[in-house]
């Protein structure tokens, strides 16, 4: 039967096979995050490190198990908080990368607990930038949808809220290198939000954790440098690379977890299957019509 179908519709089959050989499966990069009650979030997709290059993207918010879809948001990013999140509740976010995005930036802002000596609540922040940068001698940005379809987890780090300083820890991730070597982060993914580096037996020295590839920490924002060792360098030079020992008795904790993955879109294989189903239905329909004519005669 398949042979008969092929003979009858071979021109269409040849066309579908040509499409399959000439095309490729597209994918969409999606990043998921969560904030807890009292926290705030800022996010933007960027192109070649420029946060002003992308003005529209889609995201989804999940509050108490109920999805609140928001699409076509205009702007360089958004600030989560009371505009989107009910007071006293946490929320999960799903950000969908637009075509052409090569990197992303996100800040999670956390309150201090307990308040400072004067009653103030100094803010602690975790800023993370993730980019698909590849060393083509020098480094160059590539679209996020070219990354492998591998789930990867990236930690957000900040000083402990128990009397820690109100400062920002900056993180830069070379996603290509990170995903290829340690997509689940340190300890093969055996870490949870609330863990501290010391509780995991880890230490950051000159911005890096031994054995962890593609991720660097600093006390100043990162800039893209195509001729650098990592692709990203801290403002003010390598003297600003983070050393966890400099925090003394204040633990550095994991305050949140990014979960990223490329999701394959319905591609050419789906098209071929649909085409085969249509051909089969046409063939069955013709058989039924011919049989009905024979019976009618």
């Amino acid at each position: 039967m398949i042979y008969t179908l092929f003979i009858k519709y071979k021109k269409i089959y040849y066309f579908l096979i040509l499409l399959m050989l000439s095309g490729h499966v597209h994918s969409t990069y999606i990043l998921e995050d969560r904030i807890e009650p009292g926290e705030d979030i800022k996010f933007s997709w960027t192109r070649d490190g420029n946060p002003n290059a992308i003005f529209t993207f889609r995201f989804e918010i999940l509050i108490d198990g109920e999805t609140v879809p928001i699409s076509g948001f205009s702007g360089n990013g958004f600030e989560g908080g009371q505009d989107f999140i009910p007071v006293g509740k946490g929320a999960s976010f799903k950000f969908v990368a637009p075509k052409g995005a090569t990197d992303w930036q996100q800040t999670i802002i956390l309150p201090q607990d307990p308040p400072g000596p004067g009653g103030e609540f100094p803010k602690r922040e975790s800023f993370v930038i993730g980019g698909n940068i590849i060393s083509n001698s020098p480094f160059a940005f590539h679209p996020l949808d070219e990354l492998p379809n591998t789930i990867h987890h990236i930690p957000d780090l900040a000083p402990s809220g128990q009397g820690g300083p109100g400062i920002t820890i900056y993180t830069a991730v070379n996603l290509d290198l990170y995903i290829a070597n340690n997509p689940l982060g340190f300890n093969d993914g055996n870490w949870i939000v609330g863990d501290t580096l010391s509780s995991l037996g880890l230490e950051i020295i000159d911005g890096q954790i031994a054995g962890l590839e593609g991720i660097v920490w600093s006390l100043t924002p990162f800039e893209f440098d195509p001729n650098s060792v990592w692709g990203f360098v801290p403002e003010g030079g390598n003297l600003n690379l983070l050393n966890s020992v400099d925090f003394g008795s204040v633990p550095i904790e994991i305050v949140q977890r990014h979960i990223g993955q490329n999701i394959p879109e319905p591609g050419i294989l789906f098209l071929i299957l649909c085409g085969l189903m249509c051909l089969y239905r046409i063939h069955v329909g013709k058989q039924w019509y011919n049989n009905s004519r024979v019976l009618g005669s």
Side-chain angles (χ1 to χ4, degrees):
M1 178 180 174
I2 295 177
Y3 178 76
T4 303
L5 283 173
F6 177 76
I7 295 300
K8 294 185 68 173
Y9 306 108
K10 61 182 179 181
K11 289 184 179 180
I12 298 177
Y13 276 112
Y14 287 146
F15 175 70
L16 291 173
I17 292 171
L18 180 63
L19 280 176
M20 181 178 66
L21 294 175
S22 61
H24 63 277
V25 177
H26 293 279
S27 60
T28 299
Y29 186 83
I30 294 177
L31 194 69
E32 298 182 45
D33 285 284
R34 177 169 178 81
I35 59 173
E36 303 305 328
E39 298 177 357
D40 198 6
I41 186 172
K42 299 179 182 180
F43 185 91
S44 61
W45 296 106
T46 56
R47 183 182 296 123
D48 298 339
N50 180 5
N52 298 313
I54 295 177
F55 297 98
T56 302
F57 61 86
R58 293 187 296 117
F59 58 94
E60 200 173 73
I61 303 177
L62 188 69
I63 301 173
D64 284 349
E66 181 179 350
T67 300
V68 183
I70 301 176
S71 61
F73 186 86
S74 297
N76 299 334
F78 78 95
E79 294 187 15
Q82 303 199 6
D83 290 338
F84 300 110
I85 304 167
V87 176
K89 294 184 179 180
S92 297
F93 294 80
K94 182 180 289 185
F95 303 102
V96 182
K99 188 174 180 59
T102 61
D103 43 312
W104 48 266
Q105 298 179 11
Q106 185 205 335
T107 303
I108 291 182
I109 306 168
L110 308 106
Q112 189 64 276
D113 181 30
E120 74 279 1
F121 288 84
K123 297 292 186 180
R124 304 171 292 133
E125 296 187 358
S126 173
F127 178 91
V128 183
I129 178 172
N132 183 17
I133 55 174
I134 300 174
S135 182
N136 304 122
S137 297
F139 280 100
F141 285 96
H142 290 252
L144 289 167
D145 59 19
E146 293 181 2
L147 290 168
N149 300 328
T150 303
I151 295 177
H152 43 283
H153 294 193
I154 300 169
D156 273 289
L157 301 184
S160 169
Q162 299 298 317
I167 65 172
T168 301
I169 289 181
Y170 296 88
T171 307
V173 187
N174 177 333
L175 291 171
D176 178 65
L177 188 60
Y178 187 86
I179 293 172
N181 291 277
N182 32 247
L184 300 180
F186 31 64
N187 289 5
D188 292 324
N190 293 315
W191 52 275
I192 61 174
V193 173
D195 282 340
T196 63
L197 294 185
S198 57
S199 70
L200 297 172
L202 300 172
E203 184 178 6
I204 298 177
I205 300 175
D206 293 332
Q208 293 184 285
I209 291 178
L212 200 60
E213 298 291 332
I215 186 167
V216 188
W217 289 274
S218 172
L219 294 175
T220 57
F222 281 95
E223 302 173 316
F224 176 68
D225 181 350
N227 296 302
S228 66
V229 175
W230 300 297
F232 292 110
V233 295
E235 289 183 3
N238 289 342
L239 290 177
N240 289 313
L241 290 172
L242 189 146
N243 289 281
S244 51
V245 68
D246 293 340
F247 284 79
S249 61
V250 177
I252 294 177
E253 65 175 319
I254 302 170
V255 296
Q256 208 42 262
R257 176 195 299 255
H258 303 280
I259 303 176
Q261 185 182 16
N262 258 327
I263 307 297
E265 297 175 354
I268 209 68
L269 180 59
F270 178 75
L271 174 64
I272 292 173
L273 291 175
C274 289
L276 290 174
M277 291 177 64
C278 289
L279 290 175
Y280 177 71
R281 291 180 66 87
I282 291 172
H283 174 74
V284 170
K286 283 188 174 182
Q287 279 191 329
W288 177 86
Y289 176 73
N290 291 334
N291 290 338
S292 64
R293 290 187 62 187
V294 171
L295 291 173
S297 62

